[in-house]
């Protein structure tokens, strides 16, 4: 340093270095300053280039998985005789942080820009808290970065593309404490996680930090946009840091259910679901409270899907479906999921219409099991109706069972399923089918269907019937009886196996007025075929999938 003889002008230049070592002598941090100081009787000016390097940062900051950090930049400061001070930095400070990556992930250094266009001023002698500090908005900018998880034998690769993001805050001091008004901007580009696509996401909005009278709280009103702005979500966040509790209110605008418009076309192959129309909306709130053993989460949220039409696994067609889901957790106990589903049509090969189901599902806090009650479900099919009074399902049990009531099924519509079979029938069926859910799949051990009085007529005439009649004499008699069989009693035993194998044991009582003078006849017929293959053949014959796709093009 040097001063003029009159001591009215002094300068000081130099280089300061400091190393921080741990008890074993390993360097933890290195700091280098090159101050340039100018002193005059009425002012003091400081130019301060700085560099800092932090190694093994987790030993210094236990709460952050910080491995390395660097900081460099240039600050300018001044102070006059009246106590007015200023702090400036045009370019701000640049930093690189190397965080400890989660297991299996590759995380490059994070490049940050701290406090660009820094401009702060105040007065050392100001008596009012508001006059002590005047600061232009403080900014933190994160440069784009990509997190990668290489593929393994068990899972596909993952890539998260974080775009340029920023946090801008305007601090202010009061006599009671600190207020910080911030603006958050986060952006995630189209990414993937273990083979699942993630759409672009932007999160932005104001945040406010309050630290008054030793009480600290965070408030935010954020807007989340995703999937090419097709998804719009509003968030209202409040958290009391001192009390360790807070809540989040949210509202999801109507979002179109279309993988292409959401930029998620790969989801069709992953989920086997092809959406043709529909919208999703929702709202609710989530409360949380910090406890000794963790966080207590209390949700109360609802989701609604309207006019949903879709194709599942290129084999099941859904049209005109609506859904309402509500998730809550009363009295800090188990989670309760209430659901109501209704649909215009469901067609796996045999068309079901006017469907309705209501249920409640109980899930414990540790998600160890699921217990569901479907207390109403019905659908119209083949001119009649299928109804289940109550279904109970418990994932802790290996076997679950329930009953299906069948009423007013029309034999004429059953016969019409295969127009070329040569079968015509009339009559109405009722019955009960016991359903058993096993680890291998659903099965029907012993169901029964009965024809209503006064019975009906069955006519079976086809080249296949003639061929069967010529192959065996007893079969030939049966074929002749069935050419015009008027029955007054019909009973059908039903057995179904998880592999799709269906067995129908038909017992008829009636007569053929054109055979043996209309003598009373008892007739037993056993039919065996694979129901899954039969439904597949019906889908192909009726071209169910193509017709639904063309309808919503």
């Amino acid at each position: 340093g040097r001063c003029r003889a009159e001591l009215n002008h002094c300068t000081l230049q130099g280089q300061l270095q400091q190393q921080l070592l741990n008890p074993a002598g390993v360097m933890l941090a290195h700091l280098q300053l090159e101050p340039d100081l100018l002193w005059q009787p009425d002012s003091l000016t400081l130019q301060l280039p700085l560099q800092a390097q932090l190694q093994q940062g987790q030993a210094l900051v236990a709460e952050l998985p910080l491995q390395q950090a660097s900081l460099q930049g240039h600050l300018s400061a001044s102070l006059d005789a009246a106590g007015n001070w200023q702090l400036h930095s045009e370019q701000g400070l640049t930093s690189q942080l190397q965080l400890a990556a989660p297991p299996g992930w590759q995380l490059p250094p994070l490049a940050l820009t701290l406090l660009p266009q820094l401009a702060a001023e105040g007065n050392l002698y100001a008596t009012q808290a508001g006059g002590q500090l005047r600061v232009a908005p403080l900014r933190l900018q994160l440069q784009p970065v990509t997190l990668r998880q290489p593929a393994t034998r068990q899972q596909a690769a993952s890539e998260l593309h974080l775009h340029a993001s920023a946090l801008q805050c305007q601090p202010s001091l009061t006599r009671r404490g600190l207020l910080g008004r911030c603006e958050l901007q986060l952006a995630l580009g189209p990414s993937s996680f273990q083979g699942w696509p993630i759409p672009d996401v932007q999160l932005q909005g104001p945040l406010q930090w309050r630290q008054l009278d030793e009480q600290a709280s965070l408030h935010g009103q954020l807007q989340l946009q995703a999937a090419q702005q097709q998804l719009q979500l509003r968030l209202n966040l409040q958290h009391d840091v001192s009390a360790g509790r807070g809540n989040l209110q949210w509202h999801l605008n109507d979002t179109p259910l279309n993988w292409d418009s959401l930029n998620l076309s790969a989801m069709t192959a992953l989920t086997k679901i092809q959406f043709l129309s529909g919208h999703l909306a929702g709202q609710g709130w989530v409360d949380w409270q910090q406890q000794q053993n963790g966080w207590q989460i209390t949700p109360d949220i609802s989701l609604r899907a309207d006019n949903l039409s879709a194709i599942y696994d290129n084999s099941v067609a859904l049209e005109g479906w609506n859904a309402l889901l509500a998730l809550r957790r009363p009295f800090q106990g188990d989670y309760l999921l209430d659901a109501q589903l209704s649909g215009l049509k469901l067609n796996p090969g045999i068309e079901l219409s006017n469907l309705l189901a209501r249920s409640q599902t109980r899930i414990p806090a540790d998600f160890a099991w699921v217990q569901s009650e479907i207390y109403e479900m019905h659908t119209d099919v083949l001119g009649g109706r299928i109804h289940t009074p109550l279904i109970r399902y418990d994932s802790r049990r290996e076997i679950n069972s329930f009953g299906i009531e069948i009423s007013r099924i029309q034999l004429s519509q059953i016969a019409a399923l295969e127009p070329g079979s040569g079968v015509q029938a009339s009559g109405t069926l009722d019955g009960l089918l016991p359903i058993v859910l096993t680890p291998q799949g659903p099965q029907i051990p012993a169901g029964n269907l009965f024809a209503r009085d006064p019975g009906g007529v069955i006519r079976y005439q086809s080249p296949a019937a003639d061929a069967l009649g010529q192959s065996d004499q007893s079969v030939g008699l049966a074929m002749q009886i069935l050419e015009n069989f008027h029955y007054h009693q019909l009973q059908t035993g039903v057995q179904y196996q998880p592999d799709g194998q269906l067995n129908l044991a038909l017992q008829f009582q009636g007569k053929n007025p054109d055979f043996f003078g209309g003598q009373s006849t008892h007739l037993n017929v056993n039919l065996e075929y694979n129901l899954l293959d039969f439904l597949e053949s019906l889908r192909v014959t009726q071209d169910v999938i193509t017709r639904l796709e063309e309808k919503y093009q």
Side-chain angles (χ1 to χ4, degrees):
R2 62 170 61 93
C3 291
R4 293 178 181 175
E6 299 84 359
L7 297 180
N8 60 1
H9 187 283
C10 294
T11 61
L12 175 66
Q13 295 177 328
Q15 186 179 84
L16 304 176
Q17 297 191 45
Q18 178 65 46
Q19 292 185 353
L20 180 64
L21 308 179
N22 68 4
V26 178
M27 186 185 71
L28 298 179
H30 175 80
L31 176 66
Q32 178 174 309
L33 304 176
E34 297 181 0
D36 187 348
L37 182 68
L38 171 62
W39 175 85
Q40 301 180 81
D42 59 349
S43 66
L44 180 68
T45 303
L46 173 66
Q47 302 293 332
L48 184 62
L50 62 89
Q51 292 184 358
Q53 187 75 29
L54 180 66
Q55 300 284 348
Q56 297 180 350
Q58 67 271 20
L60 299 178
V61 187
E63 297 179 357
L64 294 178
L66 186 61
Q67 293 181 332
Q68 293 182 358
S70 65
L71 182 68
Q72 60 185 6
H74 188 281
L75 298 176
S76 299
S78 64
L79 176 66
D80 62 21
N84 298 312
W85 62 268
Q86 292 182 338
L87 181 64
H88 295 275
S89 179
E90 184 64 27
Q91 301 299 323
L93 308 175
T94 59
S95 175
Q96 280 200 342
L97 305 179
Q98 181 63 64
L99 302 180
W105 284 81
Q106 299 173 355
L107 177 62
L110 304 181
L112 302 174
T113 301
L114 308 174
L115 310 177
Q117 291 85 46
L118 173 64
E121 61 183 24
N123 188 283
L124 295 179
Y125 312 122
T127 57
Q128 295 183 355
Q132 293 178 356
L133 180 65
R134 295 182 296 277
V135 183
L138 306 178
R139 290 181 59 84
L140 183 152
Q141 298 173 338
L142 173 65
Q143 302 304 314
V145 64
T146 297
L147 287 75
R148 290 185 172 88
Q149 184 184 52
T152 65
R153 293 183 178 179
Q154 292 77 25
Q155 61 188 27
S158 301
E159 284 194 357
L160 302 179
H161 302 285
L162 187 62
H163 287 182
S165 303
L167 177 65
Q168 176 175 293
C169 295
Q170 177 69 62
S172 62
L173 287 174
T174 70
R175 292 182 176 179
R176 295 178 56 193
L178 173 67
L179 295 177
R181 296 178 177 84
C182 302
E183 190 72 26
L184 176 67
Q185 293 182 338
L186 295 177
L188 179 72
S191 304
S192 65
F193 180 75
Q194 297 180 2
W196 292 86
I198 300 176
D200 59 289
V201 180
Q202 299 85 39
L203 179 65
Q204 58 186 3
L207 293 170
Q208 184 168 322
W209 171 267
R210 295 181 179 180
Q211 192 162 1
L212 305 175
D213 300 333
E214 299 182 355
Q215 299 292 320
S217 62
L218 176 67
H219 301 264
Q221 293 180 335
L222 304 176
Q223 179 81 24
L224 187 147
Q225 299 178 344
Q228 303 183 107
Q229 299 187 355
Q230 295 293 312
L231 187 150
Q232 303 277 346
L233 181 66
R234 298 197 308 271
L235 304 168
N236 190 343
L237 168 69
Q238 301 180 59
H239 181 68
D240 188 331
V241 179
S242 304
R245 64 170 179 264
N247 62 78
L248 174 69
Q249 301 176 13
W250 62 275
H251 181 272
L252 175 65
N253 294 345
D254 280 353
T255 301
L257 290 176
N258 184 294
W259 293 132
D260 291 333
S261 63
L262 296 175
N263 197 26
L264 295 172
S265 56
M267 291 292 286
T268 300
L270 291 171
T271 64
K272 299 183 180 180
I273 298 177
Q274 176 186 353
F275 286 115
L276 303 175
S277 71
H279 286 81
L280 180 69
Q283 62 183 356
W285 62 83
V286 179
D287 296 330
W288 56 82
Q289 174 69 61
Q290 188 175 18
Q291 297 181 343
Q292 293 182 350
N293 57 350
W295 292 88
Q296 183 76 38
I297 308 297
T298 305
D300 193 341
I301 62 179
S302 63
L303 286 174
R304 189 189 76 246
D306 298 316
N307 196 29
L308 173 63
S309 296
I311 296 170
Y312 175 71
D313 199 18
N314 206 34
S315 61
V316 180
L318 302 90
E319 186 173 0
W321 279 71
N322 301 291
L324 181 61
L325 305 176
L327 178 66
R328 53 195 174 89
R329 190 181 186 186
F331 310 115
Q332 310 300 322
D334 297 336
Y335 294 97
L336 295 180
L337 177 63
D338 293 292
Q340 176 174 306
L341 302 176
S342 62
L344 182 63
K345 294 180 181 179
L346 172 66
N347 196 331
I350 298 176
E351 183 174 277
L352 311 177
S353 60
N354 301 322
L355 301 99
L356 176 67
R358 295 188 178 95
S359 69
Q360 184 176 90
T361 301
R362 182 178 298 274
I363 307 171
D366 59 1
F367 300 97
W369 49 268
V370 173
Q371 188 180 61
S372 296
E373 286 191 357
I374 303 176
Y375 46 85
E376 181 178 356
M377 184 173 72
H378 64 255
T379 180
D380 296 337
V381 58
L382 299 174
R385 169 160 288 203
I386 294 177
H387 175 250
T388 58
L390 179 63
I391 298 176
R392 287 192 174 96
Y393 173 82
D394 192 331
S395 64
R396 295 167 294 183
R397 299 175 56 184
E398 185 175 357
I399 302 295
N400 290 271
S401 61
F402 59 93
I404 292 180
E405 297 178 354
I406 295 178
S407 61
R408 305 189 308 277
I409 298 295
Q410 302 300 310
L411 275 175
S412 59
Q413 296 198 22
I414 296 178
L417 290 175
E418 294 187 276
S421 65
V423 177
Q424 297 179 349
S426 65
T428 302
L429 293 179
D430 301 317
L432 178 65
L433 300 180
I435 307 295
V436 179
L437 302 178
T438 70
Q440 293 75 33
Q443 68 178 90
I444 302 174
N448 285 283
L449 300 177
F450 302 89
R452 289 189 178 187
D453 288 336
V457 178
I458 293 178
R459 295 186 175 91
Y460 182 31
Q461 297 178 344
S462 71
D466 295 338
L468 288 173
Q470 295 174 5
S471 64
D472 184 91
Q473 183 177 4
S474 59
V475 174
L477 290 176
M479 294 299 101
Q480 293 182 54
I481 295 174
L482 289 174
E483 288 179 356
N484 185 24
F485 188 73
H486 295 241
Y487 68 89
H488 59 269
Q489 288 187 18
L490 185 156
Q491 178 179 345
T492 302
V494 181
Q495 291 184 336
Y496 177 78
Q497 301 301 322
D499 60 1
Q501 194 65 28
L502 179 67
N503 179 274
L504 300 178
L506 303 172
Q507 298 180 21
F508 299 93
Q509 293 188 30
K511 62 182 180 180
N512 184 338
D514 305 322
F515 187 77
F516 280 156
Q519 184 176 354
S520 178
T521 304
H522 291 229
L523 188 63
N524 297 328
V525 178
N526 288 322
L527 299 177
E528 291 186 359
Y529 56 93
N530 190 284
L531 179 60
L532 301 180
D533 294 340
F534 177 63
L535 293 177
E536 174 65 22
S537 67
L538 292 181
R539 286 194 298 268
V540 174
T541 302
Q542 301 171 11
D543 206 8
V544 172
I545 305 303
T546 301
R547 288 192 292 109
L548 187 62
E549 289 177 331
E550 293 175 349
K551 182 176 180 179
Y552 288 94
Q553 282 183 350

